[in-house]
């Protein structure tokens, strides 16, 4: 049987395995399955292709253009997921594992596509925070902006998630406008290669936006510059070695690391046997031990339970693990497949033996395991250890067996539980199963500094919760210390890893021109007609309407109070209002002013304005009393296309009185026909 030839895609060309190629074995059978690697890849040509071809093409697009591109890629990949499933079985993954890796990767891409459209501008510059007024009269302002780095992102991924691991890095990178060179772990690179072929064959990406290294990177990291990023997932030892690359140190190359960690799960003192929380805890631990055969960076390695519940947890967890069917991942009855390779199996058994020096194995004997043997592939049973003295132990807190291995330990009180969890010296996630909010708060306050994520679950959320080991694209994934000190995903936060934040300073006119968002004080545009009569595409940023004035009378205030039921004393009781240090006497309702403002600027006839969808940043600056007048300036601040039929217009609305003093200010959102 001939081996599958796993190619690289370098500088626009597919390159077959060559000198230095490595044979990859099937995780199921241990037999040779594929060949990957080519020592002759021209890494400088790859970097140049990304920087000079892919980067400029991506930067010409807006964030919304790139978001639409991500959605199209996710749809294209979804149409080919069965082929990816079929190939991924060879990594030892089951069908349920595929849902996490393959479907989870697609879902992550869809989320970033959606967030790109909803939370980022249809522009090439991302504004980070509000305008800073740097001068008395507002003629000199500051603004923080983010723009794409002008280099390349080198993604070094782990073997356990060949699809999700690629896409959770690739989605924010492409959304930022930065090209990527993806280097999957060789043991499972054949699955990643198929996904990259699907992506490139679709023609959705511009040339140079994505390249693939199947095999080793060679000396690529030695050629990186200050505009490049390395995003790494893998072991702490490998991360340390890569961080010390001379070019990375000398050029301050951004290095985002997500490393292995000794994640923990804490059973709250209230979660006794018979409670929904106890059953949930056992279910979560069992699932995290066996999903992907325990080959997850977020898997539970340390099980922390009250001393009084250790025996009950041991019994319940052993009973549940005994029901796990292990075998060929293609079989429908299989609940846990193989490790990715026999090399990984040897490593897991070696690390389990180290843990066994400080803890007693209470479930799972690899020596008596039916599938033990090289001809059957890389199968191991789930192994549960019990550490009777976790305070004196060291290996259980610093040794990770990257497989279905976990250690149970007891705690005296909640402070002790937190101290044990923190012995991991930095984790991706610690989970807490409790129904007691005080317990939850104490654990968060004690352990949050040591964790990238704290997952809390109980009877209220268990039906919809996503699980201890499921990083979500909306939330940050990463952690301090041993976990690598980096962050991935987290919505737009993940995109910013590939953007440069820059402080710009200048006049309102200059800042408006750079940001494509109108800044108060910038020139206004006189439109040819009332702005509410103009379609989305006709409106210009900065187009303004100045209204006539309206006098506010005492009758207006009293009618509004009686009509709405808002008879607050500041509007109806002259003496009480006068005693209020904020008011000179009876004042107009703030919402009365907003209503009158709308009456001043609204065009009542049917037109392109379809709906008022929101109001942001409302603040009242000066009270209005009977006899005062108000007028309004309505300005197009920003335009955001939503679909082919309509777009969102953000209007800056300012109310001033008869002395031109600011009375109120807010941003109005409308949907306008295109």
């Amino acid at each position: 049987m001939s081996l599958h030839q796993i190619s690289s895609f370098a500088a626009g060309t597919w390159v077959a395995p060559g000198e230095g190629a490595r044979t990859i074995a099937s995780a199921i059978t241990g037999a040779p399955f594929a060949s990957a690697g080519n020592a002759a890849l021209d890494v400088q040509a790859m970097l140049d292709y990304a920087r000079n071809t892919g980067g400029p093409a991506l930067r010409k697009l807006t964030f919304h253009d790139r978001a639409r591109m991500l959605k199209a890629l996710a749809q294209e990949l979804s149409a080919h997921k069965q082929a990816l499933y079929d190939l991924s079985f060879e990594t030892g993954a089951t069908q349920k594992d595929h849902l996490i890796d393959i479907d989870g990767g697609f879902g992550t891409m869809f989320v970033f596509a959606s967030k790109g459209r909803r939370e980022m501008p249809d522009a090439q510059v991302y504004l980070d925070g509000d305008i800073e007024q740097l001068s008395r009269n507002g003629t000199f302002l500051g603004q923080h902006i983010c723009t794409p780095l002008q280099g390349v992102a080198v993604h070094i991924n782990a073997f356990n998630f060949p699809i999700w691991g690629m896409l959770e890095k690739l989605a924010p990178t492409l959304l930022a406008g930065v090209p990527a060179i993806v280097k999957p772990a060789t043991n499972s690179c054949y699955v990643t290669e198929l996904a990259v072929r699907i992506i490139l064959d679709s023609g959705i990406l511009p040339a140079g936006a994505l390249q693939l290294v199947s095999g080793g990177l060679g000396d690529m990291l030695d050629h990186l510059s200050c505009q490049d990023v390395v995003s790494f997932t893998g072991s702490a030892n490998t991360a340390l070695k890569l961080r010390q690359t001379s070019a990375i140190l000398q050029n301050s190359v951004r290095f985002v690391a997500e490393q292995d960690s000794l994640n923990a799960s804490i059973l709250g003192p209230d979660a006794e046997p018979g409670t929904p929380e106890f059953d949930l805890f056992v279910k979560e631990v069992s699932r995290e031990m066996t999903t992907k055969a325990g080959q997850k960076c977020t898997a539970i390695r340390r099980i922390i339970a009250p001393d009084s519940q250790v025996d009950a947890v041991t019994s319940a967890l052993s009973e549940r693990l005994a029901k796990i069917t292990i075998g060929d991942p293609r079989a429908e009855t299989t609940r846990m497949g193989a490790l990715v390779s026999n090399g990984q199996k040897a490593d897991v058994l070696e690390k389990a033996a180290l843990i066994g020096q400080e803890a007693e194995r209470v479930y799972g004997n690899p020596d008596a395991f039916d599938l033990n043997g090289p001809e059957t592939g890389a199968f191991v049973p789930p192994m549960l250890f019990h550490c009777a003295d976790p305070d004196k132990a060291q290996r259980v807190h610093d040794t990770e067996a990257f497989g279905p291995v976990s250690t149970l330990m007891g705690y005296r009180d909640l402070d002790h539980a937190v101290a044990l969890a923190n012995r991991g010296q930095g984790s991706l996630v610690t989970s807490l199963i409790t129904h007691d909010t005080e317990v939850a708060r104490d654990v968060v306050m004690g352990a949050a500094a040591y964790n990238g994520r704290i997952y809390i679950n109980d009877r209220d959320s268990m039906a919809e919760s996503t699980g201890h080991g499921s990083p979500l694209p909306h939330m940050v994934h990463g952690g301090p210390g041993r976990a690598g000190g980096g962050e991935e995903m987290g919505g737009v936060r993940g995109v910013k890893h590939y953007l440069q934040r820059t402080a710009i300073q200048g006049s309102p006119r200059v800042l408006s021109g750079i940001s494509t968002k109108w800044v108060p004080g910038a020139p206004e545009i006189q439109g040819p007609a009332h702005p509410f009569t103009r379609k989305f595409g006709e409106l210009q940023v900065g187009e303004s309407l100045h209204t006539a004035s309206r006098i506010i009378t005492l009758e207006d205030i009293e009618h509004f109070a009686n009509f709405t039921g808002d008879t607050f004393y500041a509007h109806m009781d002259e003496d009480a209002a006068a005693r209020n240090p904020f008011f000179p006497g009876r004042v107009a309702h703030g919402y009365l002013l907003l209503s009158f403002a709308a009456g001043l600027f609204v065009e009542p006839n049917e037109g392109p304005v379809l709906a008022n969808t929101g109001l942001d940043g409302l603040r009242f600056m000066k009270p209005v009393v009977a006899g005062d007048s108000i007028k309004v300036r309505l300005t197009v601040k920003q335009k955001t296309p939503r679909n082919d039929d309509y777009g969102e217009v953000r209007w800056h609305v300012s109310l001033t009185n008869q002395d031109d003093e600011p009375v109120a200010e807010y941003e109005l959102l409308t949907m306008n026909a295109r």
Side-chain angles (χ1 to χ4, degrees):
M1 178 179 173
S2 60
L3 299 181
H4 294 265
Q5 301 297 297
I6 310 305
S7 298
S8 298
F9 186 74
T13 303
W14 284 102
V15 182
E19 182 183 352
R22 171 180 150 191
T23 299
I24 306 167
S26 166
I28 304 172
T29 66
F33 173 75
S35 176
N38 193 319
L41 291 180
D42 187 340
V43 297
Q44 188 61 57
M46 295 181 71
L47 293 170
D48 290 343
Y49 186 55
R51 293 166 179 159
N52 301 329
T53 301
L58 287 170
R59 292 194 297 273
K60 285 181 180 179
L61 305 175
T62 68
F63 290 108
H64 282 209
D65 292 333
R66 299 177 207 133
R68 283 187 285 268
M69 186 174 68
L70 290 182
K71 182 178 180 180
L73 287 176
Q75 291 171 330
E76 182 70 16
L77 285 166
S78 297
H80 294 84
K81 66 181 179 181
Q82 188 59 53
L84 292 166
Y85 289 166
D86 294 342
L87 191 57
S88 186
F89 282 123
E90 296 294 339
T91 70
T94 66
Q95 182 61 42
K96 283 191 175 181
D97 294 335
H98 296 341
L99 299 180
I100 299 171
D101 180 29
I102 297 172
D103 293 73
F106 302 162
T108 296
M109 206 163 224
F110 277 122
V111 168
F112 273 98
S114 176
K115 283 188 168 290
R117 292 287 302 278
R118 292 180 177 276
E119 299 177 23
M120 304 189 80
D122 188 28
Q124 295 166 320
V125 173
Y126 179 81
L127 303 183
D128 184 16
D130 296 326
I131 289 285
E132 299 286 348
Q133 185 160 325
L134 306 178
S135 63
R136 180 183 297 274
N137 296 318
T139 61
F140 184 64
L141 306 174
Q143 171 77 66
H144 291 94
I145 66 169
C146 296
T147 56
L149 290 171
Q150 297 185 17
V152 58
V154 179
H155 294 167
I156 304 172
N157 297 323
F159 65 80
N160 50 338
F161 289 104
I163 300 300
W164 178 86
M166 173 178 70
L167 297 183
E168 63 94 7
K169 291 183 175 69
L170 188 60
T173 301
L174 293 177
L175 184 54
V178 176
I181 296 174
V182 174
K183 185 261 180 284
T186 305
N187 276 334
S188 56
C189 68
Y190 47 89
V191 186
T192 309
E193 187 228 32
L194 176 57
V196 170
R197 284 187 181 274
I198 293 168
I199 290 173
L200 295 177
D201 288 348
S202 73
I204 294 169
L205 289 180
L210 175 61
Q211 297 176 79
L212 173 71
V213 175
S214 298
L217 279 174
D219 64 348
M220 182 178 289
L221 301 187
D222 293 329
H223 300 270
L224 299 185
S225 75
C226 67
Q227 289 295 300
D228 301 318
V229 182
V230 175
S231 185
F232 169 82
T233 298
S235 73
N237 288 337
T238 303
L240 179 61
K241 179 181 177 181
L242 296 179
R243 285 182 194 271
Q244 294 173 338
T245 302
S246 178
I248 290 177
L249 294 175
Q250 291 179 1
N251 298 322
S252 299
V253 175
R254 296 187 189 186
F255 192 95
V256 182
E258 186 263 286
Q259 301 170 184
D260 53 15
S261 65
L262 278 298
N263 309 299
S265 185
I266 301 172
L267 178 66
D270 59 300
E272 299 179 343
T275 64
E277 284 73 29
F278 183 88
D279 295 339
L280 172 63
F281 181 77
V282 172
K283 180 180 178 181
E284 288 259 17
V285 171
S286 173
R287 180 173 60 196
E288 291 306 316
M289 287 182 67
T290 57
T291 299
K292 293 287 289 186
Q295 298 170 115
K296 293 173 63 182
C297 57
T298 53
I300 295 170
R301 306 302 180 192
R302 295 174 299 148
I303 309 163
I304 303 175
D307 285 332
S308 60
Q309 305 301 340
V310 166
D311 289 344
V313 171
T314 301
S315 176
L317 188 53
S318 298
E319 182 180 345
R320 192 172 184 92
L321 291 173
K323 297 177 182 178
I324 301 295
T325 304
I326 305 168
D328 189 327
R330 293 167 293 199
E332 292 184 4
T333 56
T334 296
R335 298 275 300 279
M336 189 178 95
L339 299 176
V340 75
S341 68
N342 276 309
Q344 182 64 20
K345 174 181 175 179
D347 183 72
V348 168
L349 293 176
E350 178 186 347
K351 299 294 176 54
L354 284 175
I355 293 171
Q357 295 175 5
E358 299 176 341
E360 176 191 3
R361 192 178 65 231
V362 294
Y363 182 86
N365 184 354
D367 296 328
F369 184 50
D370 290 342
L371 294 179
N372 197 9
E375 70 281 357
T376 57
F379 295 94
V380 296
M383 285 173 271
L384 176 65
F385 289 83
H386 171 234
C387 181
D389 192 350
D391 292 325
K392 291 183 179 178
Q394 184 61 40
R395 298 288 79 81
V396 298
H397 300 297
D398 68 11
T399 300
E400 181 180 31
F402 202 71
V405 181
S406 194
T407 303
L408 172 63
M409 58 195 76
Y411 68 83
R412 298 181 298 273
D413 53 36
L414 205 56
D415 287 343
H416 186 213
V418 169
L420 290 175
N422 293 348
R423 284 281 300 277
Q425 292 299 301
S427 298
L428 296 171
V429 55
T430 287
S431 59
L432 170 66
I433 307 301
T434 183
H435 194 54
D436 188 324
T437 56
E438 290 188 12
V439 169
R441 186 181 189 281
D442 287 346
V443 170
V444 167
M445 294 305 296
Y450 283 83
N451 285 272
R453 176 166 59 95
I454 293 184
Y455 166 86
I456 306 165
N457 202 359
D458 67 357
R459 68 193 70 179
D460 296 338
S461 57
M462 57 191 292
E464 293 187 319
S465 64
T466 52
H468 164 106
S470 299
L472 299 175
H474 316 69
M475 311 298 290
V476 295
H477 177 53
R482 176 173 176 143
E487 286 183 355
E488 296 177 330
M489 300 194 296
V492 175
R493 296 174 188 85
V495 181
K496 290 182 180 180
H497 294 310
Y498 304 95
L499 302 173
Q500 174 61 44
R501 182 188 293 111
T502 303
I504 59 172
Q505 298 169 293
S507 69
R509 179 181 63 84
V510 168
L511 296 193
S512 292
I514 292 171
S515 67
T516 68
K517 185 176 183 179
W518 186 79
V519 176
E524 300 172 22
I525 298 172
Q526 179 71 44
H530 192 290
F532 277 23
T533 66
R534 288 160 56 70
K535 294 181 181 179
F536 179 86
E538 297 170 338
L539 287 170
Q540 301 180 69
V541 172
E543 190 170 327
S544 297
L545 171 72
H546 290 258
T547 74
S549 297
R550 172 166 183 161
I551 296 176
I552 309 299
T553 67
L554 189 60
E555 289 75 18
D556 291 331
I557 297 171
E558 292 180 343
H559 174 74
F560 190 83
N562 293 320
F563 180 71
T564 63
D566 180 1
T567 56
F568 184 61
Y569 74 86
H571 311 305
M572 301 299 287
D573 187 329
E574 184 68 38
D575 292 338
R579 290 191 291 271
N580 187 316
F582 289 98
F583 302 131
R586 294 173 67 180
V587 296
H589 305 68
Y591 298 116
L592 168 62
L593 301 179
L594 298 189
S595 299
F596 281 171
L600 289 169
F601 67 67
V602 162
E603 161 57 47
N605 297 314
E606 182 180 4
V609 176
L610 305 176
N612 176 344
T613 59
L615 183 154
D616 289 343
L618 171 63
R619 61 193 186 107
F620 298 108
M621 291 101 96
K622 186 178 179 63
V624 172
V625 300
D628 285 349
S629 65
I630 61 167
K631 57 187 175 181
V632 182
R633 180 187 66 200
L634 177 75
T635 305
V636 178
K637 183 171 186 176
Q638 189 176 26
K639 296 168 54 182
T640 305
R642 291 304 183 198
N643 58 33
D644 292 338
D645 297 322
Y646 57 84
E648 180 184 85
V649 180
R650 182 175 291 269
W651 308 82
H652 183 272
V653 184
S654 61
L655 282 64
T656 52
N657 63 16
Q658 65 278 1
D659 298 320
D660 290 328
E661 297 170 321
V663 168
E665 189 175 71
Y666 60 97
E667 293 182 1
L668 172 69
L669 303 177
T670 64
M671 288 298 175
N672 288 44
R674 298 188 69 173

